[in-house]
């Protein structure tokens, strides 16, 4: 179903599987603690960043999650990370998530391009029926972005995930179905 060595790219963004060598770039991008309010790890802490990288590399090796480094092609630098995970070959579904960008790269359209590449790959290359997203119910910017690009809000799972500093989050699920992809692609002027 999924090629765990796959590189995806658009005009401004390149997504490639993360490597151990990306750690220094990630460290420089993850220093600000407020970035991690809605993330399951506080990557501003070196030990949590190391654990997160080790986990992503292990899951890449096990082919259970494909973590990408997001590269801004205009500057040739890593600006964040995103992943395919929770892959169900039988059910033809995949989740896009674990996404973060360094503070200075927010609001530049890089996340939209990365999401487009990933969604397009799912429906046009991987032949999935369903692409899933989930986020913290309190993460208003992420929720607006998912709605803006056409994801359908499905529901909220209460006390679903342990977050940084011991907080439990209510998780809101979003999805896009194969039958909806063409209209979403046109509406967003993607591809």
């Amino acid at each position: 179903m999924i090629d765990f060595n796959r590189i995806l790219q658009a005009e401004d963004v390149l997504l490639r599987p993360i490597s151990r060598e990306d750690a220094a770039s990630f460290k420089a991008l993850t220093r600000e603690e407020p970035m991690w309010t809605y993330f399951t790890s506080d990557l501003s802490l070196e030990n949590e960043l190391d654990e997160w990288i080790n986990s992503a590399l292990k899951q890449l090796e096990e082919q259970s999650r494909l973590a990408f480094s997001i590269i801004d092609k205009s500057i040739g630098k890593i600006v964040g990370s995103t992943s395919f995970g929770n892959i169900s070959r039988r059910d033809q579904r995949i989740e896009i998530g674990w996404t973060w960008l360094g503070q200075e790269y927010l609001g530049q359209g890089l996340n939209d391009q990365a999401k487009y590449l990933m969604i397009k790959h799912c429906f046009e290359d991987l032949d999935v029926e369903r692409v899933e997203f989930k986020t913290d119910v309190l993460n208003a910017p992420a929720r607006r972005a998912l709605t803006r690009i056409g994801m359908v809000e499905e529901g909220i799972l209460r006390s679903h995930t342990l977050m940084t500093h011991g907080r439990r989050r209510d998780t809101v699920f979003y999805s896009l179905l194969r039958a909806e992809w063409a209209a979403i692609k046109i509406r967003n002027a993607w591809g």
Side-chain angles (χ1 to χ4, degrees), residues 46-87:
E46 191 168 344
N47 66 317
E48 288 199 34
L49 176 60
D50 289 342
E51 186 177 312
W52 184 85
I53 292 169
N54 290 337
S55 175
L57 291 169
K58 181 178 183 208
Q59 291 168 333
L60 182 64
E61 184 179 309
E62 296 169 346
Q63 298 193 346
S64 61
R65 177 174 146 220
L66 172 51
F68 291 104
S69 290
I70 303 171
I71 298 166
D72 180 337
K73 290 169 63 175
S74 70
I75 59 173
K77 289 175 62 173
I78 294 172
V79 297
S81 182
T82 190
S83 299
F84 286 132
N86 293 323
I87 302 160

Side-chain angles (χ1 to χ4, degrees), residues 9-166:
Q9 58 182 313
E11 185 175 332
D12 299 320
V13 171
L14 182 133
L15 305 177
R16 66 155 172 75
I18 72 165
S19 68
R20 179 129 348 254
E21 291 73 31
D22 297 340
S25 295
F26 288 159
K27 187 175 181 181
L29 292 167
T30 58
R31 293 183 181 163
E32 298 181 44
E33 184 180 343
M35 285 177 59
W36 309 109
T37 301
Y38 303 116
F39 208 71
T40 54
S41 301
D42 182 347
L43 302 187
S44 69
L45 302 172
E46 191 168 344
N47 66 317
E48 288 199 34
L49 176 60
D50 289 342
E51 186 177 312
W52 184 85
I53 292 169
N54 290 337
S55 175
L57 291 169
K58 181 178 183 208
Q59 291 168 333
L60 182 64
E61 184 179 309
E62 296 169 346
Q63 298 193 346
S64 61
R65 177 174 146 220
L66 172 51
F68 291 104
S69 290
I70 303 171
I71 298 166
D72 180 337
K73 290 169 63 175
S74 70
I75 59 173
K77 289 175 62 173
I78 294 172
V79 297
S81 182
T82 190
S83 299
F84 286 132
N86 293 323
I87 302 160
S88 176
R89 289 166 179 82
R90 179 191 178 278
D91 298 314
Q92 294 177 281
R93 104 179 150 242
I94 195 166
E95 180 181 344
I96 296 173
W98 301 264
T99 304
W100 58 268
L101 291 173
Q103 289 286 105
E104 63 198 272
Y105 303 104
L106 295 173
Q108 297 180 18
L110 299 171
N111 189 35
D112 282 359
Q113 281 193 47
K115 292 288 185 285
Y116 161 71
L117 285 170
M118 296 172 83
I119 295 167
K120 181 178 189 243
H121 183 61
C122 288
F123 289 122
E124 297 181 10
D125 299 323
L126 299 180
D127 200 33
V128 302
E129 289 296 324
R130 174 185 168 89
V131 174
E132 300 173 339
F133 295 82
K134 63 183 183 242
T135 193
D136 192 321
V137 75
L138 300 175
N139 190 346
R143 294 181 72 182
R144 280 192 302 272
L146 289 168
T147 301
R148 178 178 42 77
I149 64 172
M151 301 301 110
V152 175
E153 182 176 326
E154 295 182 320
I156 297 171
L157 299 180
R158 299 176 306 144
S159 193
H160 179 253
T161 302
L162 181 62
M163 302 296 285
T164 59
H165 311 294

